[in-house]
């Protein structure tokens, strides 16, 4: 019972005790901020960092670490981890090093060590788990698997040796960090707000689930080109049960109309829970794909190409065949395989393209398109394809360059079919119609468009304009639907009758319609007999809109009420009207159904919300029904701390 003897024994036991790691602190708050990952939302506070940049960890041991002690940190991704293929990483601190990841001892104080870990610039992106191994005379002892030490690793646009490196900070803030976007549907710059929501809770997990659902090998997930290509295929459900189901009809009764979506987050979360989401058109595919890319750390933006050609025949020319019907030309849909869309949306991703010859300098913006148009290597996908290669007409480099070139720069050959001989006569060649303007959102808190046409093509008339080398003039007022209401009774020769041309303005802006109406009698064979009416007219159609009002100034963690109002301006009732509202860090996604809104009637929707973050944000609202779509309201809000 000699106290001094007990102290001596305890000191001896402590000396011979085996070193053991008892706690690992992933230093989430410090690392997330340093790695520009502080905006990712999540309840479990898991660490999110970017590759090719050091992050720090604190290791707590059961006793001070001596120079003779040998321990290492091991990181694993996937099930069948292996050092040789990069799915198992070993970081030692005894001077030896295996693999491209590096580690260093930053600080040692008492029983704790602060270490720095730098993942390689080509490391696999995904979710890793961590183990600390102590190597002693009796073997190796490892810490147990703990979800608190898991972390996500992403691409890094801030690291000069990462293939997604973007040198300009202002551009990185726009193309990686900005959650709010604008997608253009008219050359004038009109279009729709889109909430990307790449930092919303659950979206990062959804993006990695998409890669898992694609069965993409883990060893390929460090290659941004391959991730973009897989993502392009997985955004559509055409052949792999991907995220979105396309629908270009007028019947959306089995899902959600493409015009009703406010952003990507609801789509991706629904995909995780229920599988493919109905329905999408090109801007929905592009907006959702943009979220996927930005969430994983790849700089990305949405592009709109006006008068976008779809070359089905692969000859880099848009061929349109017309029938002659009196003084008019009608498109022969049976003989015409190519088409021209008023506009088409795709994405650009910023990549260095290490897979292409370095001397060609094809890095930078790359076209990636997830709208299912044509197959590429067996799947409905497109790209990545260098924008520079398109401009220079160098179409032999992967991926899908001829198709993209035709979308923006093909000539339009317009033919007339001779109904007697079955032969076609070339009427005209238009070299300027396709790719008339290409727009993307400008950098910063603005919806102003940036014209990037000359990044895809030289100005018309320059000798360098095209290496390879339609006119369908379809003047459609965007957002306006037209129907003809004709009498049901039979009309006799020589008898007058009345008909109505009904225009419905589906946008919130006033539209001016320049109309040209022709009436003809035709035989049952579709051959015109005589023209009996020709009329030109101009009309102005007002548009419906949503109005928003807040109960007062917005402050963090204080309740506020948001009011949205709509008045039916049409001479008919609206039925089964869906409305939705959402604001990042302001109001969660909410939806409401009105069975009927009568002519001239107004509805008012009031919701309570509590802002969670100071600064500028957006509130998005949308209204949709069977006869009316694309009614939007978007408001900028400043939240005080």
């Amino acid at each position: 019972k000699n106290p001094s003897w007990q102290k001596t024994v305890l000191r001896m036991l402590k000396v011979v005790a085996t070193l053991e790691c008892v706690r690992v602190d992933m230093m989430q708050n410090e690392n997330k901020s340093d790695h520009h990952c502080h905006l990712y939302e999540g309840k479990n506070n898991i660490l999110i960092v970017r590759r090719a940049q050091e992050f720090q960890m604190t290791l707590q041991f059961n006793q001070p670490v001596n120079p003779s002690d040998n321990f290492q940190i091991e990181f694993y991704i996937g099930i069948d981890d292996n050092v040789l293929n990069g799915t198992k990483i070993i970081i030692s601190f005894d001077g030896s090093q295996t693999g491209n990841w590096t580690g260093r001892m930053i600080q040692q104080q008492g029983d704790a060590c602060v270490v720095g870990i730098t993942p390689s610039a080509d490391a696999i992106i995904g979710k890793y788990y961590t183990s600390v191994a102590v190597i002693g005379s009796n073997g190796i002892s490892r810490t147990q698997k703990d979800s608190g030490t898991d972390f996500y690793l992403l691409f890094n646009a801030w690291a000069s040796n990462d293939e997604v490196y973007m040198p300009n900070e202002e551009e990185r803030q726009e193309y990686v960090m900005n959650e709010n976007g604008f997608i253009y549907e008219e050359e004038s710059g009109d279009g729709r707000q889109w909430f990307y929501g790449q930092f919303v809770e659950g979206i990062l997990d959804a993006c990695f689930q998409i890669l898992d659902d694609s069965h993409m090998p883990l060893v390929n997930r460090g290659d941004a080109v391959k991730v973009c290509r897989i993502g392009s295929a997985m955004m559509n459900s055409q052949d792999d049960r991907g995220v979105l189901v396309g629908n270009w009809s007028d019947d959306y009764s089995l899902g959600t109309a493409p015009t009703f979506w406010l952003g990507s987050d609801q789509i991706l979360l629904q995909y995780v829970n229920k599988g493919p989401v109905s329905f999408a058109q090109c801007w929905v595919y592009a907006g959702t794909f943009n979220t996927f890319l930005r969430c994983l750390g790849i700089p990305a933006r949405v592009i709109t190409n006006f008068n976008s050609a779809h070359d089905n025949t692969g000859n880099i020319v848009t061929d349109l065949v017309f029938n002659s019907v009196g003084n008019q030309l009608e498109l022969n849909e049976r003989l015409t395989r190519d088409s021209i869309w008023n506009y088409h949306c795709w994405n650009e991703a910023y990549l260095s393209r290490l897979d292409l010859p370095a001397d060609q300098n094809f890095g930078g913006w790359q076209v990636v398109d997830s709208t299912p148009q044509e197959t590429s290597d067996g799947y409905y996908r497109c790209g990545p394809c260098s924008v520079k290669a398109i401009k220079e007409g160098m179409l032999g480099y992967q991926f899908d360059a001829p198709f993209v070139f035709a979308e923006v720069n093909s000539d339009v050959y317009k033919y007339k079919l001779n109904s007697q001989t079955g032969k076609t006569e070339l009427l005209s060649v238009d070299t300027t119609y396709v790719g008339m303007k290409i727009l993307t959102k400008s950098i910063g808190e603005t919806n102003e468009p940036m014209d990037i046409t000359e990044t895809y093509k030289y100005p018309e008339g320059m000798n360098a304009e095209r290496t390879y080398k339609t006119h369908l003039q379809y003047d459609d007022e965007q957002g306006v639907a037209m129907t003809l209401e004709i009498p049901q009774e039979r009309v006799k020769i020589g008898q007058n009758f009345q008909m109505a041309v009904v225009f419905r303005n589906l946008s919130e802006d006033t539209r001016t319609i320049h109309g040209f109406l022709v009436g003809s009698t035709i035989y049952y064979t579709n051959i015109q007999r005589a023209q009996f009416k020709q009329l030109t007219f101009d009309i102005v159609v007002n548009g419906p809109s949503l109005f928003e009002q807040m109960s007062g100034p917005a402050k963090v963690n204080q309740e506020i009420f948001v009011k949205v109002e709509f008045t039916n301006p049409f001479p008919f009732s609206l039925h089964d009207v869906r409305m939705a509202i959402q604001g990042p860090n302001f109001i969660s996604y909410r939806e409401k159904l009105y069975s009927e809104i009568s002519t001239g009637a107004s509805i008012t929707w009031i919701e309570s919300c509590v802002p969670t973050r100071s600064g500028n944000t957006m509130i998005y609202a949308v209204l949709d029904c069977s006869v009316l779509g694309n009614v939007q309201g978007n408001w900028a809000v400043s939240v005080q701390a």
Side-chain angles (χ1 to χ4, degrees):
K1 295 183 179 181
N2 188 328
S4 62
W5 178 82
Q6 289 180 339
K7 291 180 180 179
T8 302
V9 171
L10 288 173
R11 281 197 298 268
M12 293 174 61
L13 289 172
K14 190 172 185 180
V15 169
V16 298
T18 302
L19 184 71
E20 181 182 353
C21 181
V22 295
R23 181 173 175 270
V24 178
D25 180 3
M26 301 301 289
M27 301 175 65
Q28 281 95 340
N29 293 334
E30 298 87 344
N31 287 320
K32 279 187 175 183
S33 179
D34 292 342
H35 285 249
H36 309 278
C37 295
H38 54 288
L39 296 180
Y40 286 93
E41 301 171 2
K43 297 178 181 178
N44 56 358
N45 202 28
I46 190 171
L47 176 63
I48 305 171
V49 291
R50 302 184 189 274
R51 65 187 192 179
Q53 180 178 340
E54 184 180 80
F55 66 92
Q56 297 183 10
M57 302 168 55
T58 298
L59 310 180
Q60 186 76 42
F61 292 93
N62 62 336
Q63 62 188 34
V65 178
N66 296 315
S68 60
D69 289 328
N70 187 5
F71 71 91
Q72 63 190 30
I73 303 177
E74 300 170 350
F75 302 112
Y76 308 86
I77 184 169
I79 300 175
D80 300 320
D81 49 83
N82 191 311
V83 173
L84 297 178
N85 63 16
T87 57
K88 179 179 180 180
I89 310 297
I90 299 176
I91 304 293
S92 301
F93 299 90
D94 59 358
S96 64
Q97 196 68 52
T98 60
N100 297 323
W101 292 43
T102 60
R104 68 185 181 102
M105 184 72 69
I106 296 176
Q107 183 182 12
Q108 183 176 349
Q109 186 174 4
D111 298 343
C113 298
V114 178
V115 299
I117 307 295
T118 304
S120 65
D122 61 351
I124 297 168
I125 64 163
K127 187 176 183 179
Y128 288 78
Y129 63 94
T130 305
S131 177
V132 178
V134 176
I135 304 170
S137 58
N138 295 327
I140 301 177
S141 63
R142 290 183 171 87
T143 55
Q144 293 183 348
K145 187 174 180 180
D146 178 7
S147 61
T149 62
D150 294 347
F151 67 95
Y152 288 104
L153 189 64
L154 308 179
F155 294 107
N156 193 349
W158 285 262
S160 60
N161 53 343
D162 195 306
E163 63 180 309
V164 304
Y165 173 63
M166 176 172 272
N168 184 280
E169 175 62 17
E170 192 177 30
E171 292 182 343
R172 290 191 294 251
Q173 289 299 318
E174 176 68 32
Y175 301 128
V176 179
M177 303 297 290
N178 195 352
E179 291 186 276
N180 298 301
F182 197 88
I183 301 176
Y184 300 98
E185 297 173 328
E186 299 183 33
E187 293 180 49
S188 62
D190 289 341
R192 64 178 61 243
Q193 291 279 163
W194 192 267
F195 177 52
Y196 297 125
Q198 65 265 34
F199 303 122
V200 169
E201 182 176 358
I203 297 302
L204 183 58
D205 283 322
C207 292
F208 283 120
Q209 180 173 323
I210 289 169
L211 294 180
D212 291 340
D213 292 346
S214 75
H215 305 293
M216 183 184 192
L218 279 172
V219 294
N220 291 339
R221 299 187 191 183
D223 187 329
V225 170
K226 293 179 180 177
V227 170
C228 287
R229 192 150 171 79
I230 286 291
S232 171
M234 285 298 297
M235 284 305 111
N236 67 75
S237 65
Q238 197 77 3
D239 41 30
D240 45 21
R241 284 189 55 79
V243 177
L244 284 159
V245 180
N247 186 339
W248 282 264
S249 73
D250 291 326
D251 182 7
Y252 307 114
S253 57
L254 297 180
T256 297
T259 53
F260 191 70
W261 297 113
L262 293 170
S264 312
D265 58 329
Q266 296 301 311
I267 292 171
L268 291 169
L269 294 174
Q270 184 174 327
Y271 168 77
V272 169
N273 294 321
K274 299 181 180 179
V277 179
S278 302
F279 293 105
Q281 292 181 14
C282 66
W283 72 88
V284 183
Y285 286 113
T288 307
F289 194 14
N290 215 57
T291 299
F292 172 86
L293 295 169
R294 289 188 184 182
C295 185
L296 297 180
I298 300 174
R301 60 189 186 184
V302 174
I303 307 300
T304 302
N305 177 39
F306 292 94
N307 298 346
S308 187
H310 183 168
D311 178 23
N312 276 303
T313 55
N315 62 352
I316 320 181
V317 171
T318 301
D319 298 308
L320 305 176
V321 181
F322 293 85
N323 298 322
S324 178
V325 182
N327 297 327
Q328 305 295 317
L329 291 175
E330 292 182 355
L331 186 69
N332 186 311
E333 297 182 1
R334 184 177 64 84
L335 297 179
T336 300
R337 295 182 59 192
D338 299 336
S339 61
I340 301 175
W341 296 7
N342 291 348
Y343 69 89
H344 177 52
C345 299
W346 59 69
N347 302 82
E348 286 180 356
Y350 198 87
L351 310 172
S352 60
R353 290 311 297 268
L354 302 177
D355 57 317
L356 299 182
D359 60 336
Q360 298 295 341
N361 193 25
F362 284 146
W365 289 115
Q366 313 289 317
V367 173
V368 281
D369 190 350
S370 58
T371 300
Q373 298 181 90
E374 298 291 329
T375 59
S376 175
D377 295 334
Y379 292 91
Y380 280 94
R381 57 184 170 185
C382 181
C385 171
S386 167
V387 172
K388 180 185 176 183
I390 295 303
K391 182 172 183 176
E392 300 299 333
M394 303 182 72
L395 309 185
Y397 296 99
Q398 57 189 17
F399 297 90
D400 309 309
F403 183 80
V404 177
F405 181 91
E407 285 184 301
V408 300
N409 209 9
S410 63
D411 292 339
V412 181
Y413 281 68
K414 186 176 178 182
Y415 299 90
K416 182 174 72 172
L417 178 67
N418 187 315
S419 59
Q420 303 298 322
T421 65
K423 296 181 179 181
T424 57
E425 171 192 352
L426 180 63
L427 295 177
S428 63
V429 178
D430 195 320
T431 63
T432 64
Y433 186 71
V434 167
M436 187 165 290
K437 184 180 286 187
I438 305 173
L439 299 180
T440 191
K441 178 187 172 297
S442 295
I443 293 173
E445 295 183 5
T446 175
N447 292 335
E448 289 298 313
M450 178 166 57
D451 191 331
I452 59 170
T453 308
E454 291 192 8
T455 66
Y456 280 83
K457 53 202 291 190
Y458 287 97
E460 294 294 337
M462 289 186 62
N463 291 334
E465 183 214 342
R466 54 191 70 198
T467 301
Y468 297 84
K469 324 253 218 219
T470 53
H471 181 74
L472 173 62
Q473 185 60 48
Y474 178 59
D475 294 323
D476 177 32
E477 184 69 24
Q478 292 295 318
V480 176
M482 183 190 74
T483 58
L484 293 177
E485 296 182 1
I486 59 177
Q488 297 298 315
E489 66 273 10
R490 295 176 64 88
V491 178
K492 297 180 179 180
I493 294 177
Q495 185 181 55
N496 293 332
F497 69 94
Q498 290 186 335
M499 61 175 294
V501 184
V502 179
F503 294 94
R504 291 173 178 167
N505 189 347
L506 308 182
S507 75
E508 62 185 46
D509 301 318
T510 298
R511 303 295 192 189
T512 299
I513 307 298
H514 307 286
F516 177 64
L517 182 141
V518 175
S520 303
T521 57
I522 59 172
Y523 295 114
Y524 75 94
T525 55
N526 254 356
I527 297 176
Q528 181 174 284
R529 171 65 177 86
Q531 185 180 110
F532 62 84
K533 186 72 173 180
Q534 182 171 312
L535 176 69
T536 59
F537 57 90
D538 295 332
I539 59 172
V540 176
V541 188
N542 294 322
S545 57
L546 299 174
F547 298 94
E548 177 268 350
Q549 186 178 7
M550 293 193 301
S551 58
K555 296 182 180 181
V556 173
N557 297 327
Q558 292 190 17
E559 185 181 42
I560 190 172
F561 293 90
V562 176
K563 179 169 67 175
V564 181
E565 296 180 328
F566 172 76
T567 300
N568 179 8
F570 301 106
F572 49 83
S573 295
L574 302 176
H575 297 276
D576 298 325
V577 180
R578 293 176 68 188
M579 289 185 67
I581 188 171
Q582 180 180 26
N585 309 300
F586 195 95
I587 181 171
S588 60
Y589 180 87
R590 300 172 194 184
E591 190 173 315
K592 193 160 188 158
L593 178 66
Y594 294 88
S595 59
E596 181 180 6
I597 304 178
S598 302
T599 300
S602 298
I603 56 102
T604 299
W605 182 14
I606 299 176
E607 285 286 346
S608 167
C609 55
V610 179
T612 59
R613 186 192 302 165
S614 62
N616 297 326
T617 187
M618 294 289 298
I619 296 179
Y620 302 84
V622 66
L623 179 146
D624 183 85
C625 65
S626 60
V627 298
L628 185 65
N630 200 28
V631 180
Q632 303 176 65
N634 307 289
W635 307 278
V637 179
S638 179
V639 181
Q640 302 172 15

